[in-house]
Amino acid sequence: MSRSRYLPLLAACLMLGLPSRAALAAATDVEALLALTEPPAGVVFEIVSANPRALERTLPQARDAIRRLRERFPGLPAVIVSHGSEQFALLQSAAAERPAVHQAVRSLLSEDDVPVQVCGTHAGWRGKRAEEFPDYVGVAVSGPAQINDYVALGYALVLLRP
C-alpha cells in the first residue's frame, strides 16, 4: 500500500488529535508531527541514498528536527537508521576522510541520546563486517527491518532525503 493512501488517515487523526500507528508511520513530515496533540512513542529517521556523502547533509537535518520535536515533546525518543551507500561514511576506515560526520554521530549519541544505526546486510553485500564500524555506530542485521520494528512500537517514521 502506498504512503499516499495513508494521507487521509493522517489528516483525520491530526484533526481529531488521535495518532494511530498507520498515521504515524506515514507521517514523513516533521511539521505534521509537531501538530500532534500527543507525541508518538518515538521517531525513527530513515536515511537511504545512493550518494555516499548524504550524511553530511542529513545528519544536521535530523538533529534540527529532533531538537524541534523535543521542544514540543520533551524526552521524545529518537533513532536514526541509515541503510544506503551513505552508511559507509561511518566505517572506521572513513573516519579520517569524514571527521565531521563521525563527530556528528558521536555528538548525537552523547549529547542528544540519539543512536545511529546502519544496515549489516548492506554492509555485508559490500564485504564489510559489523566490526568495521566504530562502537558509537549500531549495526542492525537489516536496516529496513529495524525501521519496521520501531514503527511497530509506535514510532513515527521520518524520511530524510539529501
Side-chain angles (χ1 to χ4, degrees), residues 113-137:
D113 193 28
V114 177
V116 175
Q117 301 171 346
V118 297
C119 180
T121 298
H122 191 182
W125 291 340
R126 298 270 183 95
K128 304 299 180 187
R129 299 179 328 275
E131 298 79 24
E132 294 182 64
F133 290 92
D135 61 357
Y136 50 86
V137 174

Side-chain angles (χ1 to χ4, degrees), residues 66-87:
I66 291 163
R67 288 185 174 166
R68 291 177 60 214
L69 287 163
R70 286 183 173 166
E71 284 177 15
R72 171 90 169 100
F73 304 114
L76 182 70
V79 63
I80 298 169
V81 179
S82 167
H83 61 101
S85 294
E86 75 287 341
Q87 77 175 27

Side-chain angles (χ1 to χ4, degrees), residues 47-49 51-60 86 162:
I47 302 171
V48 58
S49 174
N51 180 350
R53 300 191 81 87
L55 291 178
E56 294 168 8
R57 182 167 175 192
T58 54
L59 289 176
E86 75 287 341

Side-chain angles (χ1 to χ4, degrees), residues 131-153:
E131 298 79 24
E132 294 182 64
F133 290 92
D135 61 357
Y136 50 86
V137 174
V139 181
V141 173
S142 165
Q146 187 75 9
I147 291 166
N148 288 338
D149 289 346
Y150 282 113
V151 170
L153 292 171

